[in-house]
Amino acid sequence: MNQRTSKIDWSVLLISGGLLVAFVIAAFINIESVKTFVNGGFAWSSKFFGAFWQVLMLLHFLVALYIAFSKYGQVRLGLLERPEISTFKWLSIIMATLLAGGGVFWAAAEPMYHFMTVPPMHEGIDAKTEGAIMPALAQSYMHWGFLAWAILGTLSAVVMMYGHYHKGMPMKPRTLLYPIFGEKLKTSWFGTMIDAFAIIAVAAGTIGPIGFLGLQASYGLSALFGIPDQFPTQLAIIVGLVVVTTISAVTGLHKGIQRLSNFNVSLALGLILFVLLFGPGGFIIDSFISSFGFYVDHFVEMSSFRQDTSWLGSWTVFFWGWFIGYGPMMAILVSRISRGRTIRQMILAIAVIAPLVTTFWFTVVGGSGIFYELQSAGSVSEELTSGGMPAAMIAITEQLPLAGIISPLFLLLTIVFVITTGDSMAYTIAMAVSGEGNPRVSLRIFWAVLMGSIAAILLYIGNGGIDALQNFIVITAVPVSILLLPMLWLAPKVSKQLLHEQK
């Protein structure tokens, strides 16, 4: 499926692009009304779908593990006998795509938030003490660990690869329902709406990190080099990001996207090694082992906690809506780069290996923050409280040895993390619009520029425009979660059929 295509599904393009532009226009006209609408939709989604999402995420992980370790795990997908991308490059693309927000914005901030205010399911533990370390890190693991990753290209990718490579369906979100509705999905209005909402959800979830990058990088440049932390600086950062993102998306999966992802992961590994050797390495390793044990021990309790719906709406349900919104597009991306992989390889890489790496990364960054906070109360928490998430990373890296070198490198990592998400998602959305694995270059450029432009406009509007769009993904996750529900039984069914065909 490497041929170029001139196909464009104009209905999907106009609906998805049009609604995103309409959101920006409405925000420009009256941002307060947009925020009121989004906050109301967020509250409704959290109230009526929060419990459903928690169960959906847990079942996705359990069913994925069942398939991986069953006889179906040996099934090879994509009609290739060997993988077309090496394992390191394959994992790099997957991890760098999702971790734009998690790897930078939340890795420093979330553990510190939970350390400052212990989550409600861990009542009785005093905040800002050594006893709060394990629950703080474990709660971050819950939000960025096994459940978060399992929804991103495990069961859904099995169904997508079956429909696209084995049955000739287009590389679109609608193909996830092929085992139910068959060929008629190709031309139905129902399929068009599925594609459009899936694109809107992932675009909103990508535009948010792009906007946050403008804020964080601008703050970092101001703190490190004295460059004014103003909108012109933020705009320059986003313009530069869009240029690099566009070039990467245009050059494709095997060039720009792959190379940037490899650089991203290599830089992150280098920084991890530096922090372990010259920072609080012993504290990080001890905290990871004990906190991961705490996470596993309280896994069911934390994943099914329902006693404080207000807290859940601000944390767990928000994250679940974000990851669910990414689900269909990650299924497409994983399907595109996983030909020749077995079901077992794909599920274990995404639902086990990636979460282990992610949680360790959170311990390196967030654990360092907790360590320095314990050494000097307020050294990180006060910066986080006054300057928000952009200040947390700088407050931590400034306390590391060779801060004059390490802090700019972390800032560079911040930028590259978001670029790797932007280029992968621009490419993947273009695939969803065209239905082919190598979409038209103009489509890739269009989505890269559109997402960057919306982020810049929302930053210009200010007054919470980026936050409103970020919360909007929770609303769009409602129909997407209904789309992902059938994967729980379709993936085992498809796996069984493929095993039968390959014998």
Side-chain angles (χ1 to χ4, degrees), residues 199-257:
I199 289 172
I200 292 169
V202 80
T206 304
I207 293 165
I210 292 173
F212 286 140
L213 173 71
L215 294 173
Q216 179 151 4
S218 178
Y219 179 94
L221 290 173
S222 176
L224 296 174
F225 305 111
I227 298 173
D229 184 11
Q230 299 172 350
F231 175 72
T233 304
Q234 298 164 7
L235 179 62
I237 291 165
I238 291 179
V239 169
L241 179 144
V242 169
V243 170
V244 178
T245 297
T246 303
I247 293 172
S248 181
V250 166
T251 55
L253 285 170
H254 295 282
K255 293 183 180 179
I257 293 175

Side-chain angles (χ1 to χ4, degrees), residues 75-87:
V75 171
R76 197 168 293 277
L77 297 165
L79 301 177
L80 286 181
E81 288 303 314
R82 63 176 64 182
E84 59 179 350
I85 298 178
S86 71
T87 300

Side-chain angles (χ1 to χ4, degrees), residues 369 372-384 395-396 399:
Y372 291 126
E373 182 70 15
L374 285 169
Q375 297 295 308
S376 176
S379 61
V380 178
S381 60
E382 289 181 4
E383 293 296 319
L384 176 60
I396 294 169
Q399 298 184 69

Side-chain angles (χ1 to χ4, degrees), residues 450-495:
L450 178 65
M451 289 191 292
S453 299
I454 291 175
I457 292 170
L458 291 175
L459 279 180
Y460 175 75
I461 295 171
N463 200 22
I466 288 291
D467 291 331
L469 183 66
Q470 194 69 31
N471 289 338
F472 184 61
I473 192 177
V474 176
I475 302 173
T476 61
V478 171
V480 175
S481 65
I482 296 171
L483 169 66
L484 293 178
L485 175 63
M487 301 305 106
L488 294 172
W489 59 86
L490 291 181
K493 177 183 177 182
V494 164
S495 301

